[in-house]
Structure formats: structure tokens, C-alpha cells
Amino acid sequence: MPKYLFQASYTLEGVNGLLEVGGSNRAEVVEGLVNSVGGTLESFYYAFGEDDAYVIAELPSDAAAAALSLRVSAAGAATVKTTVLLEPATMDDAVKQSVSYTPPGS
């Protein structure tokens, strides 16, 4: 299954919710969210900086990843950025592909 990185930034509403229930509760909620679409939570971390939480999950499809991102964003407690993660072997396959491309100005 493909892996995805979700970077979440809490809104004021999300921060207030986190203050009420704590970090472990939110990790359990995220695990349930991922499981609900047939995926597996690989990791969940809080962080300092631009993003408040980082989640890596294995999901059955891009559609499942989009569904999670949409559902979380629609709730209004966090904004989410989603990144598809690629295995090194996938990059090996990519560099072997023949691609026709002309750079701008050439």
C-alpha cells in the first residue's frame, strides 16, 4: 500500500480542543480515522514549528488519502498538507523511464 505524510496545523479551535483532551487522545482518533478507510497508522508525532503534527500512514489509494485530508480540513480544527511518499525502488523505476522533455528556452 502507498504511504502518505500528513502535516497538520491546528487552528485556534483545534488548539483549544487539544488543551481539553490531550495529545494521546488525538493520536487515537487519527488511528481510528486511518483504520476507517482500510489503512494503517505508521507514526504520529507532534512538533514545534510551522506544522503541529506529522502523521505517516499506509492507505489503500490516493482517494483514501484525499478523503482523510478533506474530512479533517472540513472539520475546521486543522489545516492539512498531504504528500505521497515514494519508496527508493520506485525512484529506481522512475530514473529508468525514458521521458521526452524540452526545457524552456531550448
Side-chain angles (χ1 to χ4, degrees):
M1 270 196 281
K3 291 187 183 193
Y4 301 85
L5 168 65
F6 297 93
Q7 295 166 255
S9 297
Y10 286 118
T11 63
L12 179 59
E13 179 184 348
V15 170
N16 285 325
L18 183 63
L19 288 169
E20 284 183 31
V21 299
S24 295
N25 173 272
R26 296 315 308 160
E28 291 170 8
V29 169
V30 169
E31 184 168 23
L33 178 70
V34 168
N35 292 343
S36 75
V37 295
T40 304
L41 180 65
E42 183 174 301
S43 62
F44 181 109
Y45 290 98
Y46 288 101
F48 298 125
E50 184 178 339
D51 298 311
D52 299 310
Y54 291 87
V55 172
I56 296 178
E58 257 188 345
L59 298 171
S61 65
D62 289 345
L68 296 185
S69 184
L70 287 168
R71 184 62 57 201
V72 171
S73 294
T79 59
V80 180
K81 293 183 280 186
T82 306
T83 303
V84 179
L85 301 176
L86 303 174
E87 298 282 343
T90 302
M91 290 306 292
D92 292 342
D93 293 341
V95 299
K96 293 175 188 172
Q97 296 214 7
S98 176
V99 177
S100 177
Y101 172 68
T102 303
S106 295

